[in-house]
Amino acid sequence: MSSDREANLLRVLTHTSWRFYTCFGMLSAVALWGLYGYILQLRHGLIVTGMRDQISWGLYISNFVFFTGISYGGTLISAILRVTDSGWRHPITRLSEAITVFALCVGGPMVIIDLGRPDRMGYLFIHGRIQSAILWDVIAVSTYLAGCALYLYLPMIPDLALLSEMKELAPWRRKLYRTLAFGWSDSAAERHLLEKCISRMAILMIMLAVSVHTVVSWIFAMTLRPGWNSSIFGPYFVMGAIYSGTAAVVLSMYILLRVLHLEDYLKPVHFRNLGLLLVTFALLYLYFTINEYLTSVYKVEAPDRVLLHQLFFGDYAVMMWVTQAMFIAVPLLMIAGVLALKRLRRFTPSVVALASVLIVLGAGAKRYLIVVPTLTAPFLPKTNRGDIPFNPPLPFDWVHYRPTWVEWSITLGGSAAFLLMYMLFTKLFPMVSIWETRHDEAQVEPAVAPTPQPAPQRLGSIATTTIVLIACLLLGAGHARADQKRQAKQPEATTLSMEWKQVATPPPTNDGAEQAQPSAGEGSGVDRFYGRLFGWLPVESKDHTESLPPTFVVTATLRGAKGQPLAYQVVGLSLKTSFGKLDYGSRPTDAEGKAEFSLQDRRYGQYPVEGTYDGGAEFAAAQAVTSVDFGPRPEPSLPSQGVLITPYATAWIGLPFLGFFGLVWLVFIYIGVYLLWFRLPQVRKQQTKAT
Amino acid sequence: MSTSRRDFFRSLGGGALVASLATAEGAAAQVFHHVLPARSIAPTNQKWVMVIDLAKCDGCGKCTKACNAMHFVPPMQQWIRVYEVLENPEAGPYYMARPCMHCDNPPCVRGCPVGATFKRTDGLVMMDQDRCIGCRNCIAQCPYGARSFNWSEPPHTPEELSHKYSMEEGWPHRKGVVEKCDFCPDMLRAGKLTACADACTMGAVYCGDEYEDAVTNSKGETIQLSQVTKKGAGFRLLEELGTEPRVYYLPPVNRKYAAPGEPKSS
């Protein structure tokens, strides 16, 4: 029986029907059409899409999220089932792992398609900033793709060795298989080593899968936009990804079952178990959805109001409700019904597959609903209301989004490319792991529905707040220089002389007890060090009384022709800045001819300060300029309030990321290079020596 | 058997050491953060700031027009945009000009994957169109909608094209990159007001240097920044988001013009 079903499985590798060619041709046409759309977009720019300044991310980004989501199921299903050692998994691991790899091959480039300047993609590596969520995505998705490819390849090695022995195959293919099989001789020691590799990879892939989709959600959650600014996004995205990914696995199982007649491998029990998983995931997703929307619907914050209205009653309402039904409610009822009712049980594969179609389509729509409506409800819209001269409201299509035919073509082209890759894969490699299924008994283990762990949010709130004293001013000596001006003879000539000095700033009058604590700022030396280390400096105190600027007293003395002080005359004061004159108003002189101006400004540098006396019938006008030094300007630096804005890699965010993904890469190298390349031949040699 | 594994890990550890040294360099730069790359350091030591008096803004849009003309701003974009604001139905509407806020805690700079938009020591958020890859994450990040994208090749004039591209002026423009208000730093350094402030006939837009504690408008009126924000109850847009903008607004009280919808008084 075993060989019969294997022959059936392997027949697809040698026999190609006209149906395959027809499908292949049609899908190629669609993919080429998508390519044409992309060439058009390269030539004319993103103007060929429906995206504009207001809604600047659209179908491409939602496709990216969708395809990375689809990619999930594969790995997670196969890895979780492997870790929990569910025996029934064997026939479905390969086909689900293949989904992962090819979905990522389509999903990753979707971001590149979305770029305005794809020619500058290399800048991500030359000038990459680890503080940016985009770079996290690049690192995470590429790591994930590498891991998935390795995880698909590892369990395939024994099958490749088997295939290289097949006489029906063309010589080049056998050679290819032999090269890829690493000289696998199927000994017990080799098997043991391979099992070790696979089980380690499985654990790693679960971690990686959860982290990658969390990172994908962070390109949205790291913004200040209502609707995206949500801490639930990480687990929400992970859950949605597993849910849609599992549905994709079911769908591909069903298609392979019908096309390749794999009834011997893909039994109703697989559909039943995956259906149970889908029910669990649907309920979990429902829970997340309620959590996400109820918390904002209950409060209806002003910025959320527009978005919620759009979603529940406005432009996106129909799509929203249809999607919720299609993505959660209907599949849930369908699968639960077919699994619960004995009478319907024989329809299980078809009904679960049909529900999966709905889930996969609904996942695409749900991604769209996450990306687009939020962009229609910004804090400040791109266009003004009302009619303002020179500022007419933007045209309708600049503030509303509707994907254009180019975007649809590229989306369909991408999906076609995914299917093409999958089809070619079925032609080149067996879709069911032969060596694992060969030793399977007919027994079926009960279904296990593992609950995935929601990804922990890594950002902790930083609670330290210290005060930075910025003003520490030096006094420079300045000499008051009087400037005399002769006037007409009639009024008596006057001289205005000016001098300035810095005086102690009077302490704040009210509730000074709290503020008279400069030690709070001094004691923060360690905090400041850590602040710098982590690229996060405490925000300067908003209370201005705490760091009062120094006071400068400018005294203008007005004297008559004989040097006698002139009292009760009005003297004005102004300060010359780069762009104009800052007027300090005017004061009457006292009995000594002095007018005092007290300047308590946040100013740095040296400025000419001009005293003016307008004169009158009795006395002539006079002017005097003195240069007041308000202390040196602070050293040029970036604002201390800026978080993660330095041009350098910021340690506290960079190290965990690079550490985590670096570790993952190390394990890849350990498994792919050391165990596979190095240890496998050694083990084989020892085995042959022993025998 | 176990030694080969140890060797393997030893060589892996060597690689990790090299990688961590490279990271440590970044960490060191973090501690000594005054050591900035050349492009982050402004030619002169100022902190540019803008004050917009909403009581004076009558929504004529001359700022936008002057800015568009000076920077050859592509069609459909406005680097400074005038909004008609109605906070609630009972409040009178007022006009508000919105340039780039040049935030001190700029979300766009944080989100840029390649450092095409970066903070400079003179307080400005610069936009380098030679580096921008067009991912538009900054547009998603900016809560003020101050950024636009060149969706197609912008129409050019010979005058525009004859100029060499400079980050401070932002033109000639090109396809597939993000654009925004740049605060005209070249003009400010020369002691001239920005295009928008210069064009404002109402004198609603003031600009200046924070270190001078004074801002000046087109009428030559110079006001003291710290006094005007304190006594005039100056506020910044969407203050609650913590972006720390460098553009201050004075509240639209006792408006100097006929409110929208009111009959125009002489």
Side-chain angles (χ1 to χ4, degrees), chain B residues 99-113:
Chain B
C100 171
M101 299 288 150
H102 292 274
C103 308
D104 275 349
N105 182 16
C108 52
V109 170
R110 194 159 45 228
C112 182

mmCIF file with all atom_site columns, all heavy atoms in Angstrom, chain B residues 99-113:
data_model
loop_
_atom_site.group_PDB
_atom_site.id
_atom_site.type_symbol
_atom_site.label_atom_id
_atom_site.label_alt_id
_atom_site.label_comp_id
_atom_site.label_asym_id
_atom_site.label_entity_id
_atom_site.label_seq_id
_atom_site.pdbx_PDB_ins_code
_atom_site.Cartn_x
_atom_site.Cartn_y
_atom_site.Cartn_z
_atom_site.occupancy
_atom_site.B_iso_or_equiv
_atom_site.pdbx_formal_charge
_atom_site.auth_seq_id
_atom_site.auth_comp_id
_atom_site.auth_asym_id
_atom_site.auth_atom_id
_atom_site.pdbx_PDB_model_num
ATOM 1   N N   . PRO B 1 99  ? 3.105  75.322 8.460  1.00 0.00 ? 99  PRO B N   1
ATOM 2   C CA  . PRO B 1 99  ? 4.345  74.905 7.790  1.00 0.00 ? 99  PRO B CA  1
ATOM 3   C C   . PRO B 1 99  ? 4.814  73.584 8.401  1.00 0.00 ? 99  PRO B C   1
ATOM 4   O O   . PRO B 1 99  ? 4.083  72.972 9.173  1.00 0.00 ? 99  PRO B O   1
ATOM 5   C CB  . PRO B 1 99  ? 5.301  76.042 8.155  1.00 0.00 ? 99  PRO B CB  1
ATOM 6   C CG  . PRO B 1 99  ? 4.830  76.509 9.490  1.00 0.00 ? 99  PRO B CG  1
ATOM 7   C CD  . PRO B 1 99  ? 3.350  76.243 9.558  1.00 0.00 ? 99  PRO B CD  1
ATOM 8   N N   . CYS B 1 100 ? 6.018  73.157 8.082  1.00 0.00 ? 100 CYS B N   1
ATOM 9   C CA  . CYS B 1 100 ? 6.593  72.026 8.820  1.00 0.00 ? 100 CYS B CA  1
ATOM 10  C C   . CYS B 1 100 ? 6.914  72.530 10.216 1.00 0.00 ? 100 CYS B C   1
ATOM 11  O O   . CYS B 1 100 ? 7.393  73.635 10.397 1.00 0.00 ? 100 CYS B O   1
ATOM 12  C CB  . CYS B 1 100 ? 7.860  71.523 8.155  1.00 0.00 ? 100 CYS B CB  1
ATOM 13  S SG  . CYS B 1 100 ? 8.751  70.318 9.150  1.00 0.00 ? 100 CYS B SG  1
ATOM 14  N N   . MET B 1 101 ? 6.616  71.707 11.221 1.00 0.00 ? 101 MET B N   1
ATOM 15  C CA  . MET B 1 101 ? 6.774  72.141 12.605 1.00 0.00 ? 101 MET B CA  1
ATOM 16  C C   . MET B 1 101 ? 8.223  72.038 13.082 1.00 0.00 ? 101 MET B C   1
ATOM 17  O O   . MET B 1 101 ? 8.542  72.503 14.158 1.00 0.00 ? 101 MET B O   1
ATOM 18  C CB  . MET B 1 101 ? 5.901  71.294 13.525 1.00 0.00 ? 101 MET B CB  1
ATOM 19  C CG  . MET B 1 101 ? 4.435  71.408 13.217 1.00 0.00 ? 101 MET B CG  1
ATOM 20  S SD  . MET B 1 101 ? 3.820  72.994 13.708 1.00 0.00 ? 101 MET B SD  1
ATOM 21  C CE  . MET B 1 101 ? 2.523  73.213 12.525 1.00 0.00 ? 101 MET B CE  1
ATOM 22  N N   . HIS B 1 102 ? 9.072  71.393 12.333 1.00 0.00 ? 102 HIS B N   1
ATOM 23  C CA  . HIS B 1 102 ? 10.479 71.200 12.705 1.00 0.00 ? 102 HIS B CA  1
ATOM 24  C C   . HIS B 1 102 ? 10.598 70.763 14.160 1.00 0.00 ? 102 HIS B C   1
ATOM 25  O O   . HIS B 1 102 ? 11.308 71.371 14.966 1.00 0.00 ? 102 HIS B O   1
ATOM 26  C CB  . HIS B 1 102 ? 11.285 72.464 12.426 1.00 0.00 ? 102 HIS B CB  1
ATOM 27  C CG  . HIS B 1 102 ? 11.396 72.739 10.961 1.00 0.00 ? 102 HIS B CG  1
ATOM 28  N ND1 . HIS B 1 102 ? 12.364 72.188 10.175 1.00 0.00 ? 102 HIS B ND1 1
ATOM 29  C CD2 . HIS B 1 102 ? 10.599 73.433 10.122 1.00 0.00 ? 102 HIS B CD2 1
ATOM 30  C CE1 . HIS B 1 102 ? 12.189 72.557 8.926  1.00 0.00 ? 102 HIS B CE1 1
ATOM 31  N NE2 . HIS B 1 102 ? 11.110 73.307 8.857  1.00 0.00 ? 102 HIS B NE2 1
ATOM 32  N N   . CYS B 1 103 ? 9.864  69.733 14.483 1.00 0.00 ? 103 CYS B N   1
ATOM 33  C CA  . CYS B 1 103 ? 9.753  69.254 15.862 1.00 0.00 ? 103 CYS B CA  1
ATOM 34  C C   . CYS B 1 103 ? 11.125 68.960 16.468 1.00 0.00 ? 103 CYS B C   1
ATOM 35  O O   . CYS B 1 103 ? 12.053 68.551 15.776 1.00 0.00 ? 103 CYS B O   1
ATOM 36  C CB  . CYS B 1 103 ? 8.942  67.963 15.905 1.00 0.00 ? 103 CYS B CB  1
ATOM 37  S SG  . CYS B 1 103 ? 7.364  68.066 15.075 1.00 0.00 ? 103 CYS B SG  1
ATOM 38  N N   . ASP B 1 104 ? 11.206 69.155 17.781 1.00 0.00 ? 104 ASP B N   1
ATOM 39  C CA  . ASP B 1 104 ? 12.416 68.769 18.502 1.00 0.00 ? 104 ASP B CA  1
ATOM 40  C C   . ASP B 1 104 ? 12.408 67.284 18.834 1.00 0.00 ? 104 ASP B C   1
ATOM 41  O O   . ASP B 1 104 ? 13.434 66.711 19.168 1.00 0.00 ? 104 ASP B O   1
ATOM 42  C CB  . ASP B 1 104 ? 12.554 69.584 19.790 1.00 0.00 ? 104 ASP B CB  1
ATOM 43  C CG  . ASP B 1 104 ? 13.237 70.906 19.519 1.00 0.00 ? 104 ASP B CG  1
ATOM 44  O OD1 . ASP B 1 104 ? 13.769 71.077 18.401 1.00 0.00 ? 104 ASP B OD1 1
ATOM 45  O OD2 . ASP B 1 104 ? 13.229 71.782 20.398 1.00 0.00 ? 104 ASP B OD2 1
ATOM 46  N N   . ASN B 1 105 ? 11.243 66.677 18.757 1.00 0.00 ? 105 ASN B N   1
ATOM 47  C CA  . ASN B 1 105 ? 11.157 65.224 18.924 1.00 0.00 ? 105 ASN B CA  1
ATOM 48  C C   . ASN B 1 105 ? 10.446 64.674 17.685 1.00 0.00 ? 105 ASN B C   1
ATOM 49  O O   . ASN B 1 105 ? 9.326  64.198 17.754 1.00 0.00 ? 105 ASN B O   1
ATOM 50  C CB  . ASN B 1 105 ? 10.388 64.884 20.196 1.00 0.00 ? 105 ASN B CB  1
ATOM 51  C CG  . ASN B 1 105 ? 10.313 63.397 20.439 1.00 0.00 ? 105 ASN B CG  1
ATOM 52  O OD1 . ASN B 1 105 ? 11.065 62.624 19.849 1.00 0.00 ? 105 ASN B OD1 1
ATOM 53  N ND2 . ASN B 1 105 ? 9.403  62.983 21.287 1.00 0.00 ? 105 ASN B ND2 1
ATOM 54  N N   . PRO B 1 106 ? 11.106 64.778 16.534 1.00 0.00 ? 106 PRO B N   1
ATOM 55  C CA  . PRO B 1 106 ? 10.397 64.549 15.274 1.00 0.00 ? 106 PRO B CA  1
ATOM 56  C C   . PRO B 1 106 ? 10.126 63.070 14.986 1.00 0.00 ? 106 PRO B C   1
ATOM 57  O O   . PRO B 1 106 ? 11.065 62.269 14.898 1.00 0.00 ? 106 PRO B O   1
ATOM 58  C CB  . PRO B 1 106 ? 11.356 65.125 14.226 1.00 0.00 ? 106 PRO B CB  1
ATOM 59  C CG  . PRO B 1 106 ? 12.688 65.108 14.872 1.00 0.00 ? 106 PRO B CG  1
ATOM 60  C CD  . PRO B 1 106 ? 12.500 65.181 16.337 1.00 0.00 ? 106 PRO B CD  1
ATOM 61  N N   . PRO B 1 107 ? 8.869  62.677 14.845 1.00 0.00 ? 107 PRO B N   1
ATOM 62  C CA  . PRO B 1 107 ? 8.557  61.278 14.540 1.00 0.00 ? 107 PRO B CA  1
ATOM 63  C C   . PRO B 1 107 ? 9.079  60.863 13.169 1.00 0.00 ? 107 PRO B C   1
ATOM 64  O O   . PRO B 1 107 ? 9.427  59.708 12.963 1.00 0.00 ? 107 PRO B O   1
ATOM 65  C CB  . PRO B 1 107 ? 7.026  61.215 14.558 1.00 0.00 ? 107 PRO B CB  1
ATOM 66  C CG  . PRO B 1 107 ? 6.557  62.502 15.087 1.00 0.00 ? 107 PRO B CG  1
ATOM 67  C CD  . PRO B 1 107 ? 7.652  63.492 14.952 1.00 0.00 ? 107 PRO B CD  1
ATOM 68  N N   . CYS B 1 108 ? 9.148  61.823 12.234 1.00 0.00 ? 108 CYS B N   1
ATOM 69  C CA  . CYS B 1 108 ? 9.605  61.484 10.885 1.00 0.00 ? 108 CYS B CA  1
ATOM 70  C C   . CYS B 1 108 ? 11.068 61.091 10.899 1.00 0.00 ? 108 CYS B C   1
ATOM 71  O O   . CYS B 1 108 ? 11.464 60.131 10.236 1.00 0.00 ? 108 CYS B O   1
ATOM 72  C CB  . CYS B 1 108 ? 9.379  62.663 9.949  1.00 0.00 ? 108 CYS B CB  1
ATOM 73  S SG  . CYS B 1 108 ? 10.053 64.215 10.551 1.00 0.00 ? 108 CYS B SG  1
ATOM 74  N N   . VAL B 1 109 ? 11.866 61.818 11.679 1.00 0.00 ? 109 VAL B N   1
ATOM 75  C CA  . VAL B 1 109 ? 13.293 61.512 11.760 1.00 0.00 ? 109 VAL B CA  1
ATOM 76  C C   . VAL B 1 109 ? 13.493 60.147 12.407 1.00 0.00 ? 109 VAL B C   1
ATOM 77  O O   . VAL B 1 109 ? 14.298 59.338 11.970 1.00 0.00 ? 109 VAL B O   1
ATOM 78  C CB  . VAL B 1 109 ? 14.017 62.607 12.565 1.00 0.00 ? 109 VAL B CB  1
ATOM 79  C CG1 . VAL B 1 109 ? 15.438 62.195 12.881 1.00 0.00 ? 109 VAL B CG1 1
ATOM 80  C CG2 . VAL B 1 109 ? 14.010 63.910 11.802 1.00 0.00 ? 109 VAL B CG2 1
ATOM 81  N N   . ARG B 1 110 ? 12.700 59.895 13.444 1.00 0.00 ? 110 ARG B N   1
ATOM 82  C CA  . ARG B 1 110 ? 12.790 58.609 14.131 1.00 0.00 ? 110 ARG B CA  1
ATOM 83  C C   . ARG B 1 110 ? 12.488 57.476 13.154 1.00 0.00 ? 110 ARG B C   1
ATOM 84  O O   . ARG B 1 110 ? 13.134 56.436 13.179 1.00 0.00 ? 110 ARG B O   1
ATOM 85  C CB  . ARG B 1 110 ? 11.781 58.601 15.281 1.00 0.00 ? 110 ARG B CB  1
ATOM 86  C CG  . ARG B 1 110 ? 11.984 57.522 16.258 1.00 0.00 ? 110 ARG B CG  1
ATOM 87  C CD  . ARG B 1 110 ? 11.334 57.832 17.578 1.00 0.00 ? 110 ARG B CD  1
ATOM 88  N NE  . ARG B 1 110 ? 9.987  58.357 17.463 1.00 0.00 ? 110 ARG B NE  1
ATOM 89  C CZ  . ARG B 1 110 ? 9.544  59.427 18.095 1.00 0.00 ? 110 ARG B CZ  1
ATOM 90  N NH1 . ARG B 1 110 ? 10.338 60.079 18.880 1.00 0.00 ? 110 ARG B NH1 1
ATOM 91  N NH2 . ARG B 1 110 ? 8.312  59.835 17.940 1.00 0.00 ? 110 ARG B NH2 1
ATOM 92  N N   . GLY B 1 111 ? 11.504 57.686 12.295 1.00 0.00 ? 111 GLY B N   1
ATOM 93  C CA  . GLY B 1 111 ? 11.037 56.600 11.435 1.00 0.00 ? 111 GLY B CA  1
ATOM 94  C C   . GLY B 1 111 ? 11.813 56.430 10.151 1.00 0.00 ? 111 GLY B C   1
ATOM 95  O O   . GLY B 1 111 ? 11.653 55.422 9.476  1.00 0.00 ? 111 GLY B O   1
ATOM 96  N N   . CYS B 1 112 ? 12.642 57.407 9.784  1.00 0.00 ? 112 CYS B N   1
ATOM 97  C CA  . CYS B 1 112 ? 13.308 57.313 8.481  1.00 0.00 ? 112 CYS B CA  1
ATOM 98  C C   . CYS B 1 112 ? 14.343 56.187 8.493  1.00 0.00 ? 112 CYS B C   1
ATOM 99  O O   . CYS B 1 112 ? 15.233 56.176 9.329  1.00 0.00 ? 112 CYS B O   1
ATOM 100 C CB  . CYS B 1 112 ? 13.990 58.633 8.127  1.00 0.00 ? 112 CYS B CB  1
ATOM 101 S SG  . CYS B 1 112 ? 14.767 58.580 6.511  1.00 0.00 ? 112 CYS B SG  1
ATOM 102 N N   . PRO B 1 113 ? 14.228 55.235 7.563  1.00 0.00 ? 113 PRO B N   1
ATOM 103 C CA  . PRO B 1 113 ? 15.144 54.102 7.599  1.00 0.00 ? 113 PRO B CA  1
ATOM 104 C C   . PRO B 1 113 ? 16.546 54.418 7.093  1.00 0.00 ? 113 PRO B C   1
ATOM 105 O O   . PRO B 1 113 ? 17.464 53.648 7.336  1.00 0.00 ? 113 PRO B O   1
ATOM 106 C CB  . PRO B 1 113 ? 14.475 53.063 6.700  1.00 0.00 ? 113 PRO B CB  1
ATOM 107 C CG  . PRO B 1 113 ? 13.613 53.849 5.792  1.00 0.00 ? 113 PRO B CG  1
ATOM 108 C CD  . PRO B 1 113 ? 13.195 55.082 6.527  1.00 0.00 ? 113 PRO B CD  1
#
